[in-house]
Amino acid sequence: MEILKKLEQIHKDFEGEIEKLSKQADVLNLKANVLGKKGSLSEILKSLKDATPEERKEIGPASNSIKQKIEQAVLAKLQSIELEEINQQLAKNRIDISLRDSLMMDGLKAAGVHPVSAIQREIEDIFISMGFDVLDGPHIEDDFHNFGALNIPETHPARDMQDTFWFKDMKHLLRTHTSTIQVRGMESRKPPFKFVGPGKVFRCERTDATHEMCFHQLEGMMVGENITVGNLIYFMKTLLKEIFKKDMEVRLRPGYFPFVEPGFELDIRWKKPGKGESKHSGWLELLPCGMVHPNVLRAGGIDPEKYNGFAFGLGLDRLVMVKYMIEDIRHLHSGDLRFNSQFSMI
Ligand code: PHE
């Protein structure tokens, strides 16, 4: 029984070999060396043709069972190597939760809240206290929510007021304003309602001291019966008083936005930083707003014969700049700790 002995020897050798291996590639090589077309097991089975029928009867099942055992051993080894690799990775990537404290002891401070986020939260709280909901919307929008439903149809020149990042399909875009949230708000509720919607907006702008390609707005909308410009002014003055901690003098100038009629620019009386009160104090454009255009209400599924309302879009970066007298909007996105650390920690 030469052949049977040889088969057993091959199996034994294999078991000795596989034991020593620690890489999946080596295991696969070993398997090929034994079971492959030119592998040792296959070579032996080739000599089967010289065996007697009785021998073949024995050798056949024996070689099959060895083959199976080898295959199982290979599989088990591959799995255990994989597990070992995962464990090693986990050990390497372990998060040391005690690290923060030890770094803090070395004089590093915990991060604070960015001034834009801080003012956003503050304004959300002010509006929540006045009964407004806070809504969200996606950064990637479709034409309808950013333009169409806001009374800015295709080919309307008002589209040029906002340089837009379009996607290749020319149907989707990065929202250019939070007015998209007006549309989503109208779609999801029945009047009367009032909500604000803060978030990032994007414009294809060349950056300079007053322009960024990504900035923040907070949209507001109130819809009900018999809403007036007086209501709009009341809410805006209340907001400004809370933010600046004093009564602010405001004025409304006519302003054009296709989704409001009449539309306004709300200015606050403002003293330029560092300059004498009388000579340089003036009006600062802060808040575009207006009475919601009937077409916008209609697009949002609201009957303009029965309901009306106001909307506004507050520039949060602008507000932070005014509040803290920051001269360049680019500081806000710089990530520069010398800038960030000037704001209070929370
Ligand atoms: N969406 C306008 C803009 O970004 C601002 C705005 C909002 C104007 C609501 C009026 C009413 O320019």
Side-chain angles (χ1 to χ4, degrees):
M1 271 299 181
E2 267 304 284
I3 296 183
L4 262 186
K5 270 207 190 112
K6 277 187 188 163
L7 282 176
E8 266 154 29
Q9 190 58 44
I10 286 175
H11 189 202
K12 241 180 152 175
D13 290 350
F14 166 83
E15 285 186 323
E17 286 284 319
I18 198 165
E19 187 74 355
K20 292 185 239 153
L21 301 180
S22 59
K23 287 197 187 113
Q24 289 193 328
D26 294 341
V27 175
L28 292 171
N29 274 337
L30 175 65
K31 181 185 171 191
N33 286 342
V34 181
L35 299 186
K37 254 196 198 147
K38 294 210 167 117
S40 46
L41 194 97
S42 320
E43 289 298 327
I44 295 230
L45 292 180
K46 274 182 197 158
S47 53
L48 208 60
K49 59 181 186 314
D50 304 326
T52 63
E54 284 76 36
E55 282 175 331
R56 281 189 212 173
K57 255 189 206 156
E58 245 182 285
I59 294 168
S63 73
N64 271 342
S65 113
I66 288 176
K67 208 171 153 187
Q68 255 177 23
K69 280 183 191 148
I70 289 178
E71 271 167 355
Q72 276 165 5
V74 165
L75 211 67
K77 185 73 182 178
L78 289 176
Q79 278 172 355
S80 82
I81 291 175
E82 191 174 347
L83 198 70
E84 181 59 24
E85 278 174 2
I86 291 174
N87 283 337
Q88 275 175 11
Q89 277 293 332
L90 284 176
K92 242 198 276 167
N93 295 343
R94 203 173 48 135
I95 297 171
D96 183 354
I97 53 169
S98 66
L99 191 62
R100 179 176 157 273
D101 281 347
S102 51
L103 284 178
M104 297 270 280
M105 281 190 278
D106 288 344
L108 282 181
K109 290 190 205 141
V113 173
H114 191 278
V116 172
S117 307
I119 217 158
Q120 178 183 319
R121 290 179 195 176
E122 186 186 339
I123 296 173
E124 282 175 16
D125 283 347
I126 296 169
F127 277 105
I128 288 171
S129 77
M130 296 193 285
F132 282 68
D133 293 336
V134 179
L135 302 189
D136 201 4
H139 291 165
I140 298 176
E141 270 293 5
D142 51 37
D143 192 290
F144 177 75
H145 287 91
N146 199 84
F147 291 127
L150 289 162
N151 202 27
I152 319 176
E154 241 173 273
T155 73
H156 193 288
R159 289 201 175 196
D160 291 343
M161 290 165 74
Q162 303 179 345
D163 290 313
T164 308
F165 286 114
W166 287 96
F167 282 73
K168 274 200 182 127
D169 66 3
M170 290 306 281
K171 291 193 176 82
H172 293 86
L173 50 95
L174 292 179
R175 71 175 176 203
T176 57
H177 51 183
T178 45
S179 300
T180 55
I181 300 176
Q182 281 188 38
V183 184
R184 293 189 174 275
M186 286 187 290
E187 282 169 345
S188 65
R189 49 203 64 210
K190 298 240 163 308
F193 56 72
K194 46 189 191 297
F195 58 77
V196 290
K200 283 186 173 22
V201 299
F202 308 86
R203 306 245 177 121
C204 188
E205 305 249 20
R206 187 182 289 263
T207 52
D208 61 26
T210 52
H211 294 89
E212 262 288 11
M213 43 71 67
C214 169
F215 51 101
H216 302 79
Q217 292 185 332
L218 182 131
E219 194 81 8
M221 185 181 218
M222 176 171 185
V223 172
E225 287 177 60
N226 304 319
I227 300 213
T228 67
V229 176
N231 298 130
L232 168 64
I233 295 175
Y234 166 78
F235 280 106
M236 296 304 100
K237 284 198 80 166
T238 309
L239 168 71
L240 294 169
K241 184 177 175 181
E242 290 288 330
I243 294 173
F244 292 99
K245 312 288 180 234
K246 61 173 187 198
D247 268 323
M248 299 297 285
E249 200 182 332
V250 302
R251 76 173 181 190
L252 289 186
R253 279 180 298 120
Y256 174 67
F257 303 95
F259 31 94
V260 284
E261 179 58 39
F264 309 109
E265 296 282 2
L266 186 144
D267 302 340
I268 56 170
R269 189 180 280 288
W270 190 250
K271 173 171 107 66
K272 273 199 185 155
K275 305 280 168 65
E277 175 82 41
S278 53
K279 206 160 143 222
H280 291 281
S281 53
W283 292 100
L284 184 80
E285 184 180 314
L286 193 69
L287 233 166
C289 53
M291 302 306 285
V292 183
H293 195 289
N295 286 349
V296 174
L297 291 171
R298 227 172 269 125
I302 294 169
D303 178 5
E305 299 295 326
K306 184 151 187 236
Y307 298 105
N308 71 341
F310 66 73
F312 59 90
L314 186 62
L316 295 180
D317 310 71
R318 180 77 186 274
L319 198 58
V320 167
M321 289 172 75
V322 170
K323 188 171 171 185
Y324 296 107
M325 299 181 187
I326 297 166
E327 79 293 358
D328 192 322
I329 193 171
R330 289 168 294 193
H331 289 312
L332 293 172
H333 286 205
S334 65
D336 189 332
L337 287 179
R338 289 170 304 177
F339 173 79
N340 290 1
S341 62
Q342 293 175 65
F343 299 90
S344 60
M345 301 291 179
I346 290 189

